[in-house]
């Protein structure tokens, strides 16, 4: 740390208890009381340097108090800095440093130590050191600014623009590329550099270039400032054009240092010094200030950090506007969140639910509103998704998957009411879910944990999912799920058969294309290539045959189940229709009515309507005539049993 040495005389000051004595051989003729300390001094050295001391001593003499006592009640810096002032007046050796220049400058102003009362007085000496040494150095400017935050000099430092000058000095240095000049490297104890920029060793240029300094080199330094000074410095840096992401990184570093809730159960950031945490009220003020300073822009800070701020704000009962701002910030980048982030405990006094579901729903609404405002495209259709083999990982589909997982986690909470569960599920638009498997899983868990739900509530809950957007695995599970209403099970069976038939048709199409390709392959390539291509084609056909055999078995089982259900429903209709003349057509009309009741939007293509399509492909060309006759018979049967929309 740089310093300015003043005075030439040996130190003649001695401390005895709560009193200072100047042992110059002459008895003291005045006592100056500052705070709880007494200074037994001499009049002449004081009045020759200070206008205030000159007036106070003159007033005491007019009152006849030759050995009077003068009290300085509000001198900046208190007794410690007045000790340095007294040594300056006596010409005793002492130093001006970055740590004491600000309070000494304020004390000199308070005591009117101008050039009128002596050449090279304390005001001019402190100004020279401040401007020519302190403000040209990062560390010294920071140290001087820290002292400006002391309560006993803060207002005087503002009047003398010491605080402003230190802040401007720091803002300029932080906004300048440190690799251009090398000054922060020198300040931080790095190697000295030549004017050409190479590293110096014993004053000799080595030719080596110093390592580049990252843009966050000043984060830890400024985190030592009080919140008021840190805020002013941040605003000054922002006005200087420092990038928003750098400002946001500094705010994150500062918050993690003083808000213990952000680093609890986690490793503190590299370089962050653990300190005594502030009071809860101070933490609350800090959190709200960080939220105000943080630019409202997506991606400047991590989503996990924002969740930490939000959870800490909920615990500290931060201002509602601050909580809403944090929810909006998270909503802007909700696609970057994890399930662990969303599982925030409910800190409300009511403790209605285990997790804070309302907060998550507001985040989802913010995200969806922003997605629509920015023209976020709908994800690919379910058919395209099947062809591509995996869902389109757009931000909106990632949020939909995240919320489905969250619903599954909160579903076991017995205090979670049905309207609240449905409201969160409906906050995600239908187009955001390429598949409804995650939503089905959440609904199933909710039904299992809320077994007392009425049938009407179960029906209402199951309407959230689209049976056409369930995978084959989910359909298989749902078809055997006793917790689902009968209407949903029948719909699942219907769409499961459609998916199986579509999958089998696709397999046959691929098989035919492979056969055509193998024939072209044999005719166009040499013998060696023919053998390799034929082996590959045979192997792929074998794999396809195994898959088709398993699908045939599943289709057969489903058709049997569907046929049994149809017979049971027809019997039920005949029993209710009576034994009158309507018996002949009662089964068909009852089946039609039941299809309407189950709410199918498509006409039937299930049961035995297309049994011949599978057998025709597998039997080969030798049984073509038999297959066509059977198909004609089945088409006639299909016409008789077709469902009304």
């Amino acid at each position: 740390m740089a310093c300015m040495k003043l005075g030439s005389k040996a130190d003649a000051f001695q401390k005895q208890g709560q009193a200072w004595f100047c042992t110059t051989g002459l008895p003291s003729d005045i006592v100056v009381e500052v705070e709880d300390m007494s200074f037994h001094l001499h009049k002449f050295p004081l009045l020759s340097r200070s206008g205030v001391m000159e007036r106070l001593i003159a007033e005491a003499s007019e009152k006849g108090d030759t050995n009077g006592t003068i009290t300085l009640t509000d001198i900046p810096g208190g007794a410690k800095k007045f000790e340095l002032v007294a040594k300056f007046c006596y010409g005793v050796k002492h130093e001006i440093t970055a740590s004491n220049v600000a309070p000494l400058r304020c004390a000199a102003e308070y005591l009117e130590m101008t050039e009128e009362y002596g050449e090279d007085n304390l005001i001019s000496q402190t100004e020279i050191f401040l401007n020519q040494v302190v403000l040209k150095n990062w560390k010294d400017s920071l140290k001087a600014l820290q002292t400006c935050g002391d309560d006993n000099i803060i207002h005087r430092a503002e009047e003398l623009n010491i605080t402003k000058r230190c802040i401007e000095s720091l803002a300029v240095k932080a906004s300048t590329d440190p690799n251009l000049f090398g000054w922060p490297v020198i300040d931080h104890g790095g190697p000295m550099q030549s004017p050409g920029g190479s590293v110096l060793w014993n004053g000799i240029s080595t030719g080596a270039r110093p390592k580049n300094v990252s843009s966050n080199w000043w984060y830890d330094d400024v985190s030592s400032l009080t919140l008021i000074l840190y805020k002013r410095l941040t605003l000054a840096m922002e006005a200087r054009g420092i990038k928003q992401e750098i400002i946001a990184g500094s705010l994150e570093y500062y918050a993690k240092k003083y808000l213990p809730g952000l680093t609890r159960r986690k490793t503190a950031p590299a370089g962050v010094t653990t300190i005594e945490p502030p009071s809860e009220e101070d933490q609350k003020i800090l959190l709200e200030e960080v939220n105000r300073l943080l630019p409202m822009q997506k991606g400047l800070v991590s989503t996990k950090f924002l969740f930490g701020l939000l959870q800490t704000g909920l615990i500290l009962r931060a201002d509602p506007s601050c909580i809403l701002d944090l929810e909006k910030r998270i909503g802007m980048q909700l696609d970057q969140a994890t399930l662990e982030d969303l599982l925030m405990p409910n800190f409300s006094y009511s403790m209605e639910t285990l997790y804070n579901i309302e907060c998550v729903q507001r985040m989802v609404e913010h995200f969806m509103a922003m997605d629509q405002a920015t023209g976020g495209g709908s994800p690919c259709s379910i058919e395209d998704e099947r062809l591509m083999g995996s869902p389109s990982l757009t931000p909106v589909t990632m949020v939909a998957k995240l919320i489905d997982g969250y619903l599954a986690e909160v579903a076991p909470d017995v205090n979670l009411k049905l309207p609240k569960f449905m409201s969160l599920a409906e906050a995600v638009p239908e187009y955001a879910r390429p598949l409804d498997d995650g939503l089905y899983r959440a609904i199933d868990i909710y039904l299992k944990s809320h077994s007392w739900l009425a049938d009407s509530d179960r029906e209402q809950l199951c309407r959230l999912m689209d049976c056409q957007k369930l995978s084959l695995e989910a359909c298989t599970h749902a078809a055997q799920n006793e917790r689902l209403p009968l209407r949903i099970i029948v719909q699942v069976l219907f769409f499961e058969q459609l998916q199986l038939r579509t999958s089998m048709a696709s397999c046959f199409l691929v098989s035919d294309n492979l056969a055509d390709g193998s024939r072209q392959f044999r005719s166009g390539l040499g013998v060696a290539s023919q053998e390799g291509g034929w082996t590959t084609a045979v192997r792929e056909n074998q794999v396809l045959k195994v898959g088709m055999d398993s699908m045939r078995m599943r289709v057969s089982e489903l058709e049997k189940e569907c046929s049994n259900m149809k017979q049971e429903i027809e019997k039920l209709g005949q029993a209710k229709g009576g034994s009158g003349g309507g018996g002949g057509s009662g089964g068909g009309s009852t089946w039609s009515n039941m299809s309407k009741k189950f709410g199918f939007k498509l006409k039937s293509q299930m049961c035995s309507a297309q049994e011949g399509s599978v057998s025709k492909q597998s039997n080969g060309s030798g049984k073509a005539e038999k297959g066509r006759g059977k198909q004609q018979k089945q088409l006639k049967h299909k016409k008789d049993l077709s469902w009304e929309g």
Side-chain angles (χ1 to χ4, degrees):
M1 185 184 297
C3 67
M4 175 187 282
K5 297 182 182 295
L6 299 176
S8 58
K9 299 179 182 179
D11 193 353
F13 282 78
Q14 293 182 356
K15 183 179 180 183
Q16 298 178 8
Q18 294 296 107
W20 279 94
F21 295 89
C22 183
T23 58
T24 58
L26 297 175
S28 171
D29 57 5
I30 190 171
V31 177
V32 181
E33 293 184 348
V34 181
E35 296 176 340
D36 57 349
M37 192 70 66
S38 299
F39 293 85
H40 298 262
L41 306 173
H42 304 87
K43 295 178 181 179
F44 181 75
L46 298 178
L47 60 86
S48 65
R49 287 287 188 175
S50 169
V52 171
M53 297 303 297
E54 182 184 40
R55 287 196 301 271
L56 292 176
I57 292 173
E59 291 175 1
S61 299
E62 290 175 0
K63 295 178 181 178
D65 188 4
T66 55
N67 292 320
T69 300
I70 297 175
T71 302
L72 301 177
T73 56
D74 55 353
I75 182 173
K80 290 184 178 180
K81 297 306 177 283
F82 183 76
E83 175 193 345
L84 296 178
V85 171
K87 289 182 178 181
F88 175 82
C89 293
Y90 278 84
V92 173
K93 294 179 181 180
H94 67 285
E95 294 180 350
I96 300 178
T97 65
S99 299
N100 61 30
V101 64
L104 276 179
R105 174 66 181 87
C106 295
E109 186 72 21
Y110 173 84
L111 294 172
E112 299 178 9
M113 302 178 72
T114 63
E115 296 299 297
E116 180 183 351
Y117 296 95
E119 188 178 354
D120 296 332
N121 212 340
L122 190 56
I123 288 180
S124 63
Q125 294 293 324
T126 52
E127 279 292 334
I128 291 172
F129 182 70
L130 183 64
N131 293 324
Q132 297 183 4
V133 179
V134 173
L135 297 181
K136 294 183 180 298
N137 182 278
W138 169 269
K139 286 287 189 181
D140 290 340
S141 298
L142 182 67
K143 195 66 179 177
L145 181 60
Q146 289 172 339
T147 60
C148 291
D150 295 342
D151 293 337
N152 54 2
I153 74 165
I154 185 170
H155 298 297
R156 183 77 63 170
E158 285 290 344
E159 294 174 1
L160 299 175
N161 287 328
I162 301 176
T163 306
K164 182 179 179 181
R165 283 184 282 173
C166 291
I167 288 175
E168 287 297 323
S169 171
L170 294 172
V172 169
K173 291 175 173 58
S175 61
T176 305
D177 186 358
N179 298 304
L180 295 178
F181 305 104
W183 49 262
V185 179
I186 297 174
D187 286 349
H188 285 73
M192 294 292 292
Q193 299 177 30
S194 69
S198 62
V199 177
L200 294 177
W201 179 77
N202 288 341
I204 303 173
S205 176
T206 62
R209 290 285 175 178
K211 295 181 179 179
N212 288 340
V213 181
S214 61
S215 58
N216 62 352
W217 60 267
W218 49 270
Y219 285 3
D220 187 56
D221 290 340
V222 301
S223 68
S224 60
L225 297 173
T226 62
L227 178 59
I228 295 175
L229 293 176
Y230 175 78
K231 176 183 176 181
R232 291 183 58 181
L233 178 59
T234 301
L235 294 175
M237 289 180 174
E238 191 173 1
R240 284 277 175 181
I242 294 183
K243 294 180 180 179
Q244 297 284 356
E245 53 266 28
I246 297 178
I247 296 292
S250 174
L251 288 166
E252 181 175 353
Y253 192 98
Y254 192 86
K256 286 181 177 179
K257 185 173 182 178
Y258 295 101
L259 295 176
L262 298 181
T263 54
R264 190 173 297 155
R265 303 188 189 92
K266 303 171 190 173
T267 304
V272 174
T273 307
T274 55
I275 60 171
E276 188 70 22
S279 64
E280 289 191 0
E281 183 62 27
D282 290 340
Q283 291 184 45
K284 174 183 172 183
I285 295 172
L286 169 60
L287 187 143
E288 293 173 353
E289 201 61 59
V290 168
N291 173 66
R292 280 190 286 267
L293 292 173
L294 196 62
M296 185 65 76
Q297 184 176 334
K298 178 180 178 180
L300 291 181
V301 293
S302 66
T303 308
K304 189 172 293 293
F305 170 67
L306 292 175
F307 270 104
L309 286 179
L310 177 59
Q311 189 162 335
T312 304
L314 292 171
I315 295 173
L316 298 175
R317 310 290 176 189
D319 189 78
S321 61
C322 175
I323 299 298
L324 291 176
D325 276 349
L326 291 172
E327 291 175 354
K328 187 177 296 184
R329 293 180 190 276
I330 295 173
M332 293 171 65
Q333 53 194 64
L334 189 59
D335 54 304
Q336 302 172 14
T338 64
L339 182 57
E340 182 184 2
D341 295 331
L342 291 183
L343 294 174
M344 298 182 298
N346 195 344
F347 297 106
S348 64
Y349 293 112
S350 62
M351 288 297 292
E352 188 175 324
T353 55
L354 183 61
Y355 296 104
N356 196 333
I357 297 175
E358 295 89 346
C359 187
V360 174
Q361 182 168 347
R362 288 192 292 268
M363 296 177 199
V364 176
E365 291 171 351
H366 286 310
F367 176 84
M368 293 303 169
M370 186 194 68
D371 183 70
Q372 294 177 2
T374 55
S378 301
C380 60
S381 64
I382 187 67
E383 290 79 14
D384 294 337
E385 178 267 326
R386 287 200 195 98
L387 291 175
M388 291 188 301
S390 63
S392 176
L393 294 179
T394 60
V396 70
T397 56
M398 294 171 66
V399 170
K401 183 178 180 181
L402 178 66
I403 296 304
D404 288 346
Y406 179 77
L407 287 169
E409 288 292 330
V410 302
D413 187 358
V414 294
N415 293 324
L416 178 56
K417 304 300 182 184
L418 180 62
K420 188 174 293 187
F421 182 89
M422 293 183 62
S423 179
L424 179 56
E426 291 170 342
V428 178
E430 185 178 353
Y431 69 82
R433 293 186 175 99
L435 288 175
D436 274 7
D437 288 17
L439 181 58
Y440 164 67
R441 176 173 174 266
I443 290 174
D444 184 43
I445 295 174
Y446 188 85
L447 290 175
K448 183 177 180 180
S449 303
H450 300 74
S451 56
W452 58 85
L453 283 180
D455 292 341
S456 58
D457 292 335
R458 291 173 181 267
E459 288 271 359
Q460 186 180 10
L461 177 61
C462 291
R463 289 196 193 102
L464 291 173
M465 64 178 178
D466 185 354
C467 296
Q468 298 185 66
K469 293 166 66 175
L470 294 178
S471 65
L472 286 174
E473 293 79 7
C475 286
T476 302
H477 184 277
Q480 304 171 9
N481 193 341
E482 297 179 354
R483 290 184 287 271
L484 297 180
L486 179 60
R487 178 200 296 269
I488 302 301
I489 294 177
V490 174
Q491 288 183 356
V492 168
L493 287 171
F494 172 72
F495 291 117
E496 184 183 24
Q497 278 210 347
L498 286 183
Q499 289 188 44
L500 284 171
R501 293 183 185 279
T502 303
S503 299
M504 291 184 66
S506 301
C507 289
F508 286 130
L509 180 61
V510 172
S511 178
D512 292 342
N513 291 338
L514 285 174
D516 294 340
S518 65
R519 285 194 294 271
Q520 296 174 4
F521 183 77
R522 287 195 302 273
S523 62
L525 297 178
V527 176
S529 300
Q530 289 178 7
E531 292 178 356
W534 177 251
T535 303
T536 304
V538 169
R539 188 182 301 111
E540 292 176 348
N541 279 330
Q542 289 176 350
V543 174
L544 286 172
K545 285 181 180 179
V546 173
M548 287 187 291
D549 288 341
S550 62
M551 281 191 286
R552 286 192 193 100
M553 293 178 62
R554 179 59 183 158
V555 169
S556 177
E557 292 175 359
L558 289 172
E559 287 176 345
K560 288 180 181 179
E561 293 177 4
C562 189
S563 178
N564 292 336
M565 289 179 61
K566 175 186 172 184
Q567 292 176 6
E568 293 295 331
I569 294 173
E570 287 178 346
K571 290 179 181 180
L572 180 62
Q574 291 174 1
K576 291 185 177 181
S579 58
S585 61
S589 62
T590 303
W591 178 245
S592 177
N593 292 334
M594 290 300 293
S595 67
K596 289 180 178 179
K597 179 179 179 182
F598 287 131
F600 294 152
K601 299 178 181 179
L602 302 174
K603 292 197 173 184
S604 171
Q605 297 178 18
M606 59 180 292
C607 299
S608 59
Q610 293 182 359
E611 290 173 355
S613 61
V614 177
S615 60
K616 179 180 178 181
Q617 294 286 346
S618 60
N619 289 339
S621 60
K623 299 181 181 181
E625 292 298 327
K626 182 179 178 180
R628 280 196 296 270
K630 185 175 182 180
Q631 187 178 22
Q632 291 174 359
K633 182 179 178 181
Q634 289 170 344
L635 289 173
K636 182 177 181 302
H637 184 57
K638 174 183 175 183
K639 183 176 180 181
D640 295 337
L641 295 178
S642 63
W643 297 352
E644 299 178 5

